[in-house]
Every structure is written in C-alpha cells, then in structure tokens.
C-alpha cells in the first residue's frame, strides 16, 4: 500500500472513491455531474491549501473484481482523507491554528486493516506545525440510511481527539498539538422568511461533497407533491456557512430540520 497526496490532474482517484462500486449503476450515473462539480471545487481549494491523501494498492494485489474496476494507471484507490486549514473549512466550524479534516473514507472491503488509522496519522503529523487537528464527527448518525456510522466520533477518540462542543449527533473534536487554541461549532440559525401560503424549503448544499448534490435533487423531486417553494442555497462561499451555521442540510419555513 502507498499513501500519497494527489495532484489536481489526479482527481479521478478521488472520484472513484466518492462514487464507489458499492452504489447502483443508476445512482453512479446520477452522481456523475455532482462529482465533476466537486473536482472543480477541489482544484480551486487546492490553490488555497486544501490537500487530499489517497491510499493506493497495485491492481494485481486486489482480489475483489468489482474493486479492481477502479484501476487507474495500475493503481486502485482504497481510501482518502481530505483536509484544509480550519479557516477555510467547508463545515460550520470556527478556529485557528488547526488543520480541519473534511472527510475520511475507506472502501468497505478495506475496513479493519488499519487503513483509516494510517490516513489519519498522516494528517496528524502534518497538523503538528499548525498546532492541532480538528474534525466534525458524528455519534450514531447513519447517513443516507446506510447501516454503518459515517465519520464516527468513536474512531477519532481512539487517537486522542477530544470533544469540544456538539449539536446533538454532530460533535466537534480536536487534537491539541501545542497551540492550545480550541475550535468552536457555529450553531445553525433560523432564517426569517416572509409570510407565504406555501411551505418554504431551503436546501443547503456544498460542492465539497457529491452526495450533497444528490440530496438537493432528491429533495426537489419529493417536494413537488407538496407544492413547496424550494430554495437551493450554495454554501461554497465560507461566509454563507457562517451566516446560516449549516453546510449541508434542510430548513423548513426558516427553521433547520436536517443539519
């Protein structure tokens, strides 16, 4: 196994992991436009300090035929970790002197072999010169009705990350590496809306994650039968995240219901 940072021209490695073989061909096709948007977002953010490390296996060493379909230049991407200076975090967090982990993902066939640990330790080592590492993790929060916990708080706590604040299942964790400056979670805010006879649904989406684009499309489809007013609010601008305290989620009549 090799772990290395990807260059802007190597973002197909990232795409293969974000839209992996575990999802249906129909969903993969539907996700493709959002993935292209994510790649452009990554290129822009890489110029500002974002980095993505990927774990690669040689194709001939991968027994799973479906996973071997991900082969690029003889390598199969099996996991990734994406991180950025916390001032540029796409999530509703605020702080300094820290690297923020946007996401950590390992393909299920490679779970429980130390791959997630290796990716995390790589970022922790880089975070030492910043003075800390932070992550927005989740406690028993199963995304998209999957049976597993995504970005589980329990995983990061094994490596010394400590809870600094939370909003229900969303938990901001921090690993102090000398800076002694704690990050904080920006609370979701209720938006004042004009009186309306129709339900108003705000969908907050971020180009950081292709699943965010998928969520936006699903909400739009489902809301048609309610004759609701649906507002798509991009949070790619950091100021929007700070204004609403939400990166990806849904508000109904101005009140956050999914965060």
């Amino acid at each position: 196994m090799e772990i290395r940072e990807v260059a802007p021209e190597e973002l197909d490695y990232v795409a293969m992991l974000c839209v992996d073989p575990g999802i249906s061909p129909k969903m993969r096709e539907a996700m493709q436009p959002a993935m292209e948007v994510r790649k452009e977002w990554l290129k822009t953010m890489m110029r500002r300090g974002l980095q993505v490390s990927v774990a690669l296996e040689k194709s001939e060493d991968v027994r799973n035929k479906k996973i071997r379909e991900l082969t690029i230049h003889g390598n199969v991407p099996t996991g990734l970790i994406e991180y950025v200076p916390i001032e540029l975090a796409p999530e509703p967090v605020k702080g300094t002197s820290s690297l923020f982990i946007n996401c950590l993902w390992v393909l299920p066939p490679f779970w429980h072999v130390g791959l997630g640990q290796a990716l995390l330790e790589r970022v922790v080592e880089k975070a030492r010169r910043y003075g800390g590492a932070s992550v927005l993790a989740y406690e028993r929060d199963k995304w998209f009705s999957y049976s597993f916990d995504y970005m589980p708080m329990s995983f990061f706590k094994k490596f010394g990350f400590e809870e600094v604040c939370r909003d229900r299942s969303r938990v901001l964790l921090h690993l102090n590496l000398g800076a002694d400056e704690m990050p904080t979670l920006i609370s979701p805010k209720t938006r004042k809306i004009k009186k309306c006879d129709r339900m108003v649904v705000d969908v907050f989406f971020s180009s950081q994650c292709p699943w965010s684009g998928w969520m936006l499309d699903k909400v739009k489809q489902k809301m048609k039968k309610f004759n609701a007013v649906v507002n798509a609010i991009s949070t790619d601008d950091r100021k929007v995240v700070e204004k609403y305290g939400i990166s990806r989620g849904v508000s109904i009549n101005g009140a956050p219901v999914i965060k």
Side-chain angles (χ1 to χ4, degrees), residues 92-111:
V93 299
K94 186 165 53 176
T96 59
S97 305
S98 178
L99 269 185
F100 183 80
I101 299 169
N102 291 346
C103 60
L104 169 59
W105 174 244
V106 174
L107 293 182
F110 297 91
W111 289 359

Side-chain angles (χ1 to χ4, degrees), residues 15-40:
M16 289 295 189
L17 285 162
C18 293
V19 191
D20 69 74
I23 63 177
S24 69
K26 184 177 180 180
M27 186 174 287
R28 282 172 64 86
E29 183 180 349
M31 291 274 290
Q32 210 54 50
M35 190 62 237
E36 292 305 314
V37 171
R38 167 161 163 72
K39 285 160 71 172
E40 291 305 312

